[in-house]
Amino acid sequence: MELSINDMAYRGQFDDESAKAVLKSHVDNIKYCSMISGKKIIARTEGLKYRPLTSKMNIQDFCFSLGKSKSDRERILNRLLLIKFVKGPYIKASSVSCLLFNSEEITNSALEYCLENSTTRGLVSPNIEDCNGEINLLDNNQNLVASIVNHSNLKDINDCTWRYEPNPKHDISSDYIVNGNVWSKMNLSDVEAQELLSCGFKIKDRRCVFALKDEQWYQFYNHEANLFHGFPINNPGNDRYLNQVIKFMDENDCSLLGQTVI
């Protein structure tokens, strides 16, 4: 999934102290979403830095005030914000939407960008009440139009992160058959396997993730909670789920995607 920073979480509702705490939670969430994003850049709109943070300052102005602070903690937060919030590259939605979030139109926001392809795009938000869980977008009649994946607290992020856990039955010298089933030797290191899993494709409501590396397909099986073990597989040509992944990859630009459910 391609993740973006939820700029519409900010509408000038914080005082100076709560603003620091909220921004710090947002920076932390961005950091901990790195595996979900496949270590791809978590994007932001150019308008993010101009979003109102307090009654007197937008995010960029607040960053500048932190940079002048005598507090080491505040200057460190400023450096993190400059990297994560202020600098590009930027994303821009190509459509114009009249949908609402918190009674505000989402035009030119990360929400609108995600709306263009809600299967492959999601948000990272600060840990605040009105940004917990999926973000629901409403029309002018307050009817639900779409729900956008949104990560806003560390527990949610941890639960959603696919983590590789090797299975001893695939730590073998070569492939062999057990009760008619082929046990394949896992030929990737744990680090390589995790990196591949974090860019894999999971079929909705199935427990398998498929990923391609150097023209070799791998399958990762969800054996417990958010834990997966994996092994190389052949492409027989008639596996409906693998073919679904191949078709998706052929029809979409997957270069910015981390772990993705299709």
Side-chain angles (χ1 to χ4, degrees):
M1 177 161 277
E2 179 187 0
L3 295 180
S4 304
I5 296 172
N6 182 12
D7 44 3
M8 294 195 70
Y10 301 97
R11 53 185 194 280
Q13 72 269 47
F14 307 111
D15 59 35
D16 286 0
E17 288 307 310
S18 62
K20 295 172 193 174
V22 168
L23 290 169
K24 180 61 167 60
S25 81
H26 208 164
V27 169
D28 287 343
N29 288 347
I30 292 167
K31 173 184 175 182
Y32 288 110
C33 276
S34 64
M35 289 174 66
I36 295 176
S37 69
K39 295 187 177 180
K40 309 288 198 312
I41 187 168
I42 294 180
R44 76 294 317 251
T45 62
E46 188 169 8
L48 170 64
K49 58 190 173 186
Y50 302 121
R51 291 291 297 179
L53 180 64
T54 69
S55 61
K56 296 181 180 179
M57 286 187 282
N58 61 31
I59 290 176
Q60 180 171 256
D61 293 337
F62 196 78
C63 286
F64 291 157
S65 71
L66 291 176
K68 297 176 182 178
S69 171
K70 295 181 180 180
S71 164
D72 288 342
R73 180 176 297 179
E74 291 184 357
R75 289 199 300 271
I76 290 171
L77 177 59
N78 172 60
R79 287 196 292 271
L80 291 172
L81 292 171
L82 287 175
I83 295 170
K84 300 296 185 183
F85 279 61
V86 177
K87 293 183 178 180
Y90 303 116
I91 54 171
K92 185 174 178 61
S94 59
S95 61
V96 177
S97 172
C98 295
L99 299 184
L100 304 176
F101 175 65
N102 282 331
S103 301
E104 181 183 356
E105 289 191 1
I106 65 170
T107 303
N108 296 323
S109 69
L111 270 168
E112 187 175 55
Y113 182 73
C114 292
L115 183 63
E116 293 176 358
N117 193 337
S118 58
T119 298
T120 62
R121 295 175 183 173
L123 294 170
V124 184
S125 295
N127 189 4
I128 57 177
E129 184 175 355
D130 60 1
C131 288
N132 276 325
E134 288 187 331
I135 299 290
N136 294 323
L137 299 178
L138 309 177
D139 63 19
N140 287 314
N141 296 318
Q142 299 299 301
N143 296 314
L144 178 64
V145 176
S147 295
I148 305 299
V149 171
N150 176 52
H151 301 289
S152 59
N153 63 78
L154 298 186
K155 182 181 184 306
D156 158 69
I157 293 168
N158 182 66
D159 290 346
C160 291
T161 300
W162 300 344
R163 300 188 184 279
Y164 179 72
E165 183 177 72
N167 188 317
K169 75 179 185 182
H170 297 289
D171 185 17
I172 51 181
S173 58
S174 62
D175 299 353
Y176 67 95
I177 297 175
V178 178
N179 297 325
N181 297 313
V182 177
W183 286 15
S184 301
K185 170 182 170 57
M186 185 47 154
N187 55 2
L188 300 179
S189 69
D190 291 355
V191 171
E192 290 172 324
Q194 178 63 67
E195 290 176 349
L196 188 59
L197 172 62
S198 294
C199 295
F201 299 89
K202 185 177 183 294
I203 304 298
K204 187 176 181 180
D205 298 325
R206 305 293 298 180
R207 300 178 71 178
C208 293
V209 170
F210 295 98
L212 182 66
K213 179 180 174 65
D214 299 330
E215 300 185 357
Q216 171 66 61
W217 282 102
Y218 292 82
Q219 180 175 311
F220 295 89
Y221 187 76
N222 181 204
H223 59 266
E224 180 185 347
N226 60 339
L227 302 177
F228 293 76
H229 66 272
F231 43 89
I233 61 171
N234 295 319
N235 178 10
N238 61 352
D239 185 312
R240 61 178 290 196
Y241 299 116
L242 179 55
N243 286 341
Q244 186 176 339
V245 170
I246 293 171
K247 183 174 185 292
F248 180 88
M249 293 176 67
D250 287 342
E251 295 176 350
N252 294 273
D253 178 6
C254 300
S255 61
L256 296 176
L257 300 185
Q259 62 179 55
T260 302
V261 179
I262 60 175

